[in-house]
Amino acid sequence: MHDIATFVAVAQYASFTRAAEQLGTSKSNVGKAVRRLEDRLGTRLFQRTTRAVRLTEDGETYLEAARAALDGLGEAEVALAARRLAPTGRVRLDVPVGFGRLLLPYFGPFRERYPQVTFDLSLNDRQSDPVGEGWDIVVRIGELPPEGDMTVRKLCTLRLGLYASAAYLGRREPIRAVQDLWNQDAVIFRSASGRLRPWSVLDAGRPAEISPKAPLIVADGRAMIDAAINGLGIAQIFDRVAQPHILSGELQRVLPEADVDGPPVHALIPLGRRMPAKTRVVLDHLAEIFRTPVG
């Protein structure tokens, strides 16, 4: 491509000397570049005399194509530079099921602000491989092991609370203290390891774990929420995940003084030379969402 640009400069100035001056090189280098191009094409591009440098017929044909090619490359470079500066393109986002449903209402306002950014959204509760699976951003709940090939940004710290439907609470005895929970139906979560997750609570200000009887055990965060909404028992849910269902009246808080601090939420971004603008604005948007206090 350097030889083609040199050829165009010689044709523009009709002079090897002036082309060399404009390109910041020597007349000898300009001559060598043109000769290399002529050898590759198998034709003469210039008629050279002691007084003038003129294009041959083949040279005129090649000049038209060369200028079009260089113009096209220039336009592509401008477009690529604009993409680096302006948020444009698809962002692949992997988030836990409950959080994905929480984030969906915020995508509309984001798209109004950044219409050139689109999403490839995966909702699942497994531990995905951010680099191997090609995700731009992975949201994870819990403490993270050191990962040298990832940028990690903390989004928030969750709280764990107990929630149930009004229908369930209406047919059971009032719950006034932690000991009353032992007589309740629990919707218990089974982790990927197969372990049943007990409830972590504060009992008179002291941390405690309890495992009430569980008519229903689930291994899916969304299923646990749906079970509680449908009156199957009390579930321990992250505050931010439960909040929309509190506002809609589908769930009610149970024994708020027993709430405990939960795990942190992080965004993981594969390392690179520079974070693309599309990824940066989505990450900032996520951080803004999670900065909003839970009512």
Side-chain angles (χ1 to χ4, degrees):
M1 195 57 65
H2 169 74
D3 291 350
I4 295 174
T6 301
F7 158 72
V8 172
V10 174
Q12 178 179 349
Y13 295 106
S15 167
F16 282 75
T17 301
R18 288 193 62 194
E21 291 173 353
Q22 293 297 318
L23 295 173
T25 187
S26 67
K27 180 180 177 181
S28 173
N29 286 339
V30 170
K32 289 177 182 177
V34 171
R35 282 194 295 274
R36 283 195 300 269
L37 189 58
E38 289 178 330
D39 290 343
R40 189 164 73 247
L41 296 173
T43 188
R44 299 272 293 187
L45 298 174
F46 292 106
Q47 292 288 349
R48 305 166 178 85
T49 68
T50 55
R51 292 187 176 184
V53 175
R54 292 188 177 88
L55 286 165
T56 63
E57 184 177 351
D58 286 345
E60 290 177 353
T61 300
Y62 192 71
L63 177 63
E64 183 177 353
R67 279 177 169 163
L70 291 175
D71 287 345
L73 286 173
E75 291 173 1
E77 289 177 2
V78 170
L80 289 175
R83 288 185 61 143
R84 288 195 300 272
L85 296 174
T88 303
R90 189 177 304 279
V91 175
R92 301 194 69 229
L93 184 63
D94 182 65
V95 300
V97 174
F99 276 88
R101 294 176 180 272
L102 175 68
L103 296 176
L104 284 174
Y106 294 93
F107 284 178
F110 177 90
R111 290 272 296 137
E112 290 179 5
R113 185 175 181 184
Y114 300 108
Q116 299 305 314
V117 177
T118 58
F119 293 93
D120 182 349
L121 180 64
S122 170
L123 306 181
N124 70 78
D125 292 321
R126 67 181 179 84
Q127 294 291 307
S128 58
D129 177 4
V131 176
E133 297 178 27
W135 298 109
D136 296 303
I137 301 175
V138 170
V139 175
R140 283 189 177 170
I141 301 172
E143 297 295 339
L144 299 173
E147 298 188 51
D149 55 353
M150 303 296 298
T151 295
V152 178
R153 181 168 175 180
K154 184 176 179 180
L155 299 176
C156 70
T157 297
L158 300 170
R159 283 184 65 78
L160 277 166
L162 300 171
Y163 300 87
S165 70
Y168 172 85
L169 295 174
R171 64 176 182 263
R172 305 301 293 259
E173 293 295 321
I175 303 170
R176 298 188 175 90
V178 168
Q179 66 238 32
D180 297 332
L181 295 171
W182 289 102
N183 299 319
Q184 301 294 322
D185 291 339
V187 180
I188 296 295
F189 184 79
R190 185 189 298 276
S191 67
S193 67
R195 177 177 176 267
L196 298 183
R197 189 177 73 191
W199 288 349
S200 296
V201 298
L202 287 180
D203 186 0
R206 295 180 180 178
E209 284 191 350
I210 63 173
S211 298
K213 63 177 180 178
L216 182 63
I217 298 171
V218 297
D220 176 272
R222 180 62 204 183
M224 183 169 63
I225 296 169
D226 288 343
I229 290 173
N230 284 282
L232 298 179
I234 300 173
Q236 189 164 51
I237 304 170
F238 296 130
D239 56 349
R240 289 184 177 273
V241 175
Q243 180 69 5
H245 305 291
I246 292 289
L247 296 176
S248 69
E250 294 174 305
L251 291 176
Q252 294 183 12
R253 293 180 70 187
V254 176
L255 213 63
E257 60 270 25
D259 288 3
V260 296
D261 286 335
V265 179
H266 295 96
L268 281 64
I269 306 96
L271 286 176
R273 289 185 184 177
R274 180 183 298 177
M275 188 184 300
K278 62 177 184 176
T279 304
R280 175 174 41 79
V281 295
V282 173
L283 180 60
D284 289 344
H285 191 63
L286 290 176
E288 183 178 344
I289 293 170
F290 286 107
R291 273 197 303 268
T292 304
V294 176

